[in-house]
Amino acid sequence: MFLTPAERIADYQARGWWEEIGVDALLRQAVAERGATLALVDPLNRKTLDGCAPERLSWNELDARVDAMAAALIALGLERDDVICAQLPNTVDAVILFLAVARLGLIISPIVMQYREHELGHILSLTDARAFVTVPTFHGHDYAAMAAALIAERPGMMLLTMGAAPHGADLRALAASADPASVAPWCAAHPVAGGEVLTICWTSGTEARPKGVPRDHNHWVLNAKVIVWGTGMQPGDVLLNPFPLVNIASIGGLMLPWLEVRGTMVLHHPFDLSVFLKQIEAEHVTYTIAPPAVLTALLKQPQIAASVDLSSLRAIGSGSAPLTPWLIEGWAETHGIEICNIFGSNEGMALMSSPIDVPDRTERAHYFPRFGAEGVDWDSPVSAVMRTRLVDPETGAIITEPGRPGEMHISGGTVISGYWRSPELNGASFDGEWFRTGDLFEIAGDGALSRFYRFVGRSKEIIVRGGVNISPAEIDELLVSLPGVREAASVGIPDSDLGERIAVAVVVDDGITPPDVAAVGAHLAAAGVAVFKRPERLVVLSALPRNAMNKVVRADLRAAVLAALES
């Protein structure tokens, strides 16, 4: 399936941004070069995740497992461009499925484990998925039963489980018995082009439901090179991946770079600091990613980090919340480990302030190189494959002077061509090849600082909790039916650990007892809403701030909520 215009594919090939190869080509190159060396390592605690013993696979073993999985998908009757939705924990099974889909030219739509019926029903309908792959159970929740109920409403969709379950077919067993000899003829008859869609990931914005972000093989192959270039990864690196394969942070930040450097990827799930540190020591990890809150906690509690050997670790990527010079200096001085400041998005943002480009650690904490900005030169190859500009949200004028906030627009080889089946949203979010990110930056200053951007805030209303985008409109829509509440709205409030947490403001009639946070959470749980979207604070207001069009003004609401919480 091609969604990127043919002329853009040709243009980016001519520029040398896109090689017009599929992700499977990266895997095959790694297998040919690395063969019997260790490629993939399961979480230490996999037994507690799905009852299976942890696995350690060489590149050759991984390739054979990918062929077996691909053979099973062929035997099930799946065809080119069919969409497979997958809700899986971070184990070798998830990686094998992803790579098998890439080998066959199918499309995978990975879904976070926290999503429930509310989000899943929307995604399954919007993708017209042919198959839904999940685990029988996870953390006490019956995923197979939940999926079976959803699929019962969608004739023609298959339920496949990684392991035996009362519902669906056991995909792991099917792969074990499939004929891998069927794969080579299939691939020869159906060569995969770089411009074909590989993934549909999901993100939230101001819209009321998750929106699909389709990315081509070309996007992912270039993305791998961008991250390797920007972070200074080296051939054979051991990468610790603490996040499920559901978005750009994990797929783009670690999995595809792993194929590019042909090293070892160590999986981790769910995030557990003690297990995380043990894996760094045991597997001699050289690079990983971690949120600022975790890095801050380790500096403030040095006895934790001192209990393990971190000497193999060369660098850590971090983002999703502002970094501080104290944090970057602390890790360099205490542990000899450099922190890379990364600002990314599923749509293709790729700003990186790394030790390579920004050796000054104070600048690295506060600023990002103006990669691809007109008239600004950087030696980094990242700067050559993307373009950036700041645009005044009110006038549309291009901003060239420092200290004036503007919306970041991006274009280039890492940027998607549009959202999945969302023409109206695309009209509002794209200006030709330029994507309107909704993020506000400014040129950092005059002189040497004019080469940098500084993040200011967001022009859109999204809540970013722990690096995950949450739509306040989606929550508000579900609060309408909250018993005893005349009106309600949600907003993000600052949090030192997660960046933001969700607060809800409610208005009730006189004499009515307002609900508490637990009641709101139970109401959303009953609607099948993911746990991370449930509010953690609640305030009662006499009225919600609205504009002349009767729309809630989030900035004023946030101020009112913070004032109520402080009183």
Side-chain angles (χ1 to χ4, degrees):
M1 179 182 297
F2 292 87
L3 295 182
T4 301
E7 60 272 18
R8 188 173 304 175
I9 294 175
D11 178 29
Y12 289 2
Q13 280 186 264
R15 295 171 183 263
W17 295 356
W18 287 353
E19 299 178 55
E20 196 56 22
I21 61 172
V23 165
D24 188 53
L26 298 184
L27 172 59
R28 292 184 185 276
Q29 290 169 8
V31 172
E33 292 182 17
R34 303 286 286 170
T37 61
L38 184 64
L40 188 61
V41 179
D42 250 330
L44 279 173
N45 57 324
R46 176 164 182 183
K47 190 76 173 178
T48 66
L49 299 183
D50 63 1
C52 296
E55 296 191 76
R56 303 172 70 84
L57 302 177
S58 70
W59 285 102
N60 287 335
E61 290 168 334
L62 173 63
D63 188 47
R65 292 280 290 276
V66 170
D67 258 352
M69 180 65 71
L73 298 177
I74 293 170
L76 286 166
L78 291 163
E79 300 177 350
R80 288 291 296 273
D81 296 337
D82 280 345
V83 177
I84 298 176
C85 288
Q87 190 174 32
L88 297 169
N90 209 18
T91 69
V92 299
D93 285 338
V95 177
I96 291 166
L97 177 64
F98 185 102
L99 295 174
V101 165
R103 180 160 290 180
L104 297 179
L106 308 179
I107 299 171
I108 189 165
S109 184
I111 301 169
V112 298
M113 295 300 292
Q114 296 95 327
Y115 275 5
R116 296 294 184 261
E117 294 91 341
H118 173 73
E119 297 90 3
L120 290 173
H122 169 70
I123 290 171
L124 293 177
S125 296
L126 196 58
T127 56
D128 291 329
R130 281 286 315 282
F132 183 38
V133 183
T134 190
V135 286
T137 60
F138 183 76
H139 278 197
H141 183 71
D142 193 332
Y143 279 81
M146 177 177 68
L150 290 164
I151 287 176
E153 305 170 3
R154 295 168 173 83
M157 187 182 296
M158 293 179 279
L159 172 57
L160 306 171
T161 56
M162 288 293 186
H167 310 279
D170 184 346
L171 183 56
R172 194 185 294 140
L174 292 174
S177 61
D179 180 9
S182 65
V183 178
W186 169 283
C187 293
H190 306 87
V192 178
E196 294 183 68
V197 175
L198 171 58
T199 58
I200 306 170
C201 296
W202 299 90
T203 187
S204 292
T206 56
E207 300 75 29
R209 292 291 182 92
K211 52 192 178 184
V213 181
R215 294 181 70 81
D216 305 347
H217 288 258
N218 279 330
H219 290 124
W220 286 123
V221 171
L222 178 61
N223 192 94
K225 297 183 184 302
V226 164
I227 294 297
V228 170
W229 289 332
T231 61
M233 288 183 191
Q234 299 174 9
D237 263 345
V238 180
L239 312 179
L240 177 54
N241 188 348
F243 301 131
L245 302 174
V246 296
N247 58 26
I248 195 119
S250 181
I251 301 172
L254 286 162
M255 181 176 169
L256 270 297
W258 159 63
L259 295 178
E260 178 72 16
V261 300
R262 295 151 201 174
T264 303
M265 182 166 66
V266 181
L267 302 175
H268 177 97
H269 191 135
F271 190 83
D272 181 298
L273 183 57
S274 63
V275 175
F276 185 73
L277 295 175
K278 287 177 184 175
Q279 286 178 292
I280 292 174
E281 179 181 64
E283 305 293 347
H284 306 291
V285 171
T286 55
Y287 177 86
T288 188
I289 54 178
V294 169
L295 300 177
T296 299
L298 287 171
L299 281 183
K300 290 184 176 180
Q301 302 175 72
Q303 70 278 7
I304 298 177
S307 66
V308 294
D309 181 4
L310 302 179
S311 61
S312 64
L313 198 55
R314 186 178 65 252
I316 301 173
S318 191
S320 79
L323 303 184
T324 64
W326 172 85
L327 174 66
I328 294 178
E329 289 282 0
W331 274 90
E333 293 175 359
T334 305
H335 301 291
I337 297 170
E338 293 290 351
I339 305 298
C340 306
N341 191 2
I342 302 173
F343 195 105
S345 72
N346 280 304
E347 291 86 353
M349 176 80 87
L351 297 182
M352 284 175 285
S353 196
S354 74
I356 300 170
D357 296 308
V358 190
D360 184 282
R361 294 176 183 132
T362 298
E363 289 184 344
R364 199 187 316 155
H366 291 310
Y367 309 130
F368 295 95
R370 291 177 64 199
F371 288 154
E374 187 173 350
V376 180
D377 295 322
W378 285 87
D379 292 334
S380 171
V382 180
S383 185
V385 299
M386 65 180 297
R387 291 176 291 173
T388 62
R389 68 186 186 189
L390 298 185
V391 177
D392 188 304
E394 300 297 326
T395 67
I398 306 298
I399 295 173
T400 57
E401 67 270 26
R404 180 181 166 193
E407 182 182 29
M408 175 68 72
H409 289 193
I410 59 173
S411 70
T414 65
V415 182
I416 66 170
S417 300
Y419 292 112
W420 179 260
R421 296 180 177 175
S422 301
E424 292 184 4
L425 180 58
N426 289 336
S429 301
F430 290 85
D431 179 8
E433 294 183 22
W434 292 93
F435 171 64
R436 304 181 176 105
T437 68
D439 298 304
L440 296 176
F441 286 80
E442 64 183 15
I443 298 171
D446 294 309
L449 288 181
S450 67
R451 301 177 71 234
F452 293 101
Y453 289 122
R454 186 179 74 85
F455 178 66
V456 175
R458 291 187 306 278
S459 62
K460 294 182 179 179
E461 298 174 345
I462 58 172
I463 301 166
V464 183
R465 182 186 186 277
V468 178
N469 288 2
I470 300 168
S471 163
E474 180 182 6
I475 299 171
D476 294 356
E477 182 180 284
L478 296 163
L479 294 176
V480 170
S481 58
L482 194 62
V485 170
R486 180 168 14 119
E487 55 180 348
S490 55
V491 70
I493 56 174
D495 180 79
S496 58
D497 292 331
L498 295 173
E500 287 185 308
R501 292 185 187 270
I502 304 171
V504 62
V506 300
V507 178
V508 298
D509 292 322
D510 292 340
I512 300 296
T513 301
D516 58 15
V517 169
V520 174
H523 177 77
L524 295 178
V529 175
V531 173
F532 65 83
K533 296 181 182 179
R534 300 172 196 173
E536 296 167 88
R537 303 298 298 272
L538 182 144
V539 301
V540 180
L541 300 179
S542 59
L544 299 182
R546 297 182 181 273
N547 60 19
M549 301 299 293
N550 203 38
K551 181 181 178 181
V552 173
V553 181
R554 299 285 171 185
D556 293 347
L557 178 64
R558 183 178 293 106
V561 167
L562 291 174
L565 291 173
E566 292 171 0
S567 63

